[in-house]
Amino acid sequence: VLIKPNLIKPVSYTSGTITNPNVVKAIAELCKSAGAKEITIADGAAVGYRASEAFKTCGYEEIAQDGNYKLLDFADDNY
């Protein structure tokens, strides 16, 4: 399963600019409980930003680590 949030840039979700990481966590947990074997959270940030940096700043790294989910930056990783 690939979950694609909206991570425009590395800012707090309270700014309304990015997808709330708690929503993505809930979706990932639902997928896992439905039998998903592998869950990837992936995005490509806006020009001048990196999704990999947004993953750190926005709390997605912690969610991925806790749930054993993969993070993928469309600009950096092979897919």
Side-chain angles (χ1 to χ4, degrees):
V1 172
L2 185 134
I3 301 170
K4 196 250 174 245
N6 189 24
L7 297 176
I8 301 289
K9 58 185 178 179
V11 296
S12 171
Y13 73 89
T14 59
S15 70
T17 305
I18 67 160
T19 304
N20 184 326
N22 296 309
V23 172
V24 173
K25 180 180 179 180
I27 293 168
E29 289 171 351
L30 286 170
C31 291
K32 189 182 263 187
S33 69
K37 303 291 184 218
E38 184 176 312
I39 298 170
T40 301
I41 301 168
D43 201 9
V47 174
Y49 298 100
R50 301 304 255 174
S52 55
E53 189 61 35
F55 289 142
K56 291 177 198 168
T57 303
C58 304
Y60 284 84
E61 279 190 347
E62 184 178 334
I63 290 168
Q65 184 176 13
D66 291 347
N68 197 29
Y69 311 132
K70 181 179 176 187
L71 294 176
L72 187 142
D73 182 338
F74 289 136
D76 293 336
D77 297 320
N78 294 321
Y79 51 93

